[in-house]
Amino acid sequence: MSKFLQDSSFAKDSNPGSVGRKRWGLWVTGVVGGTLIALYAVATPFVIPALRKICLPFVPATPAQIENVLKMLQSRTGSLVDIGSGDGRIVIAAAKQGYRAVGYELNPWLVWYSRYRAWREGVHHNTRFHIADLWKVNFSQYTNVVIFGVPQMMPQLEDKLLSELQITAKVIACRFPFPTWAPDHMTGEGIDTVWAYDAKSFQNGHCG
């Protein structure tokens, strides 16, 4: 009787169909688990900014916006920073015009892509891209500042730039103007509108 039970157990364990189903189940579990981990890794940098009180969403600059920004930079020199640089379009375009251009972006995937684009465009020596929260960066070293902002953040950004920028700096706002500063120059229409502010003007206005 004991021998019969042992033989039956051996036959059950050695069933090819059972072993195949077990391996298939392990494979499916591994694939699903790996997919979920990959999705988490890719989605997290996009989701985290959306959970912040004030987020700067990634909306690629249009060719007209880039052209208008460069128009406002004519006759300017020095360094340039793009706050919330996205995929690096403004930084790369400015570098092609001879600027030492820097971009700050919270999303690491966009930063890595920007570095690749700069290398592909041949301007990687004149560009730098940093993964950083704009509210933790001091912009006092830059003479030209570009920002594609959202209305909710502009008042707070006004205060930050007012306290940090040198009097020779110029600020260029795209899509949305600053709420209390009077622009010195303006060009474009609709979403392609660009406002330029000289630090000398808004600092003197603040003192007044």
Side-chain angles (χ1 to χ4, degrees), residues 164-185:
E164 294 178 357
L165 295 183
Q166 302 295 322
I167 198 168
T168 55
K170 178 185 284 290
V171 181
I172 300 174
C174 307
R175 294 200 181 102
F176 297 100
F178 286 95
T180 65
W181 294 349
D184 295 278
H185 304 282

Side-chain angles (χ1 to χ4, degrees), residues 81-97:
V81 61
D82 185 8
I83 302 177
S85 54
D87 62 1
R89 299 183 186 196
I90 293 293
V91 172
I92 292 171
K96 289 181 177 180
Q97 299 297 316

Side-chain angles (χ1 to χ4, degrees), residues 62-77 80 90 93-94 97 99 144 146 170-174 184-189 192-198:
T62 67
Q65 288 170 342
I66 297 175
E67 181 181 349
N68 289 336
V69 169
L70 295 179
K71 186 184 299 183
M72 290 297 186
L73 290 173
Q74 288 180 355
S75 75
R76 296 283 298 177
T77 58
L80 177 141
I90 293 293
Q97 299 297 316
Y99 288 93
N144 302 284
V146 180
K170 178 185 284 290
V171 181
I172 300 174
C174 307
D184 295 278
H185 304 282
M186 178 179 167
T187 188
E189 297 179 354
D192 297 323
T193 303
V194 168
W195 297 265
Y197 306 84
D198 293 330

Side-chain angles (χ1 to χ4, degrees), residues 5-23:
L5 291 175
Q6 290 176 357
D7 292 343
S8 299
S9 177
F10 175 78
K12 182 178 180 181
D13 293 340
S14 60
N15 186 334
S18 177
V19 174
R21 286 192 297 272
K22 183 179 294 185
R23 290 178 178 174

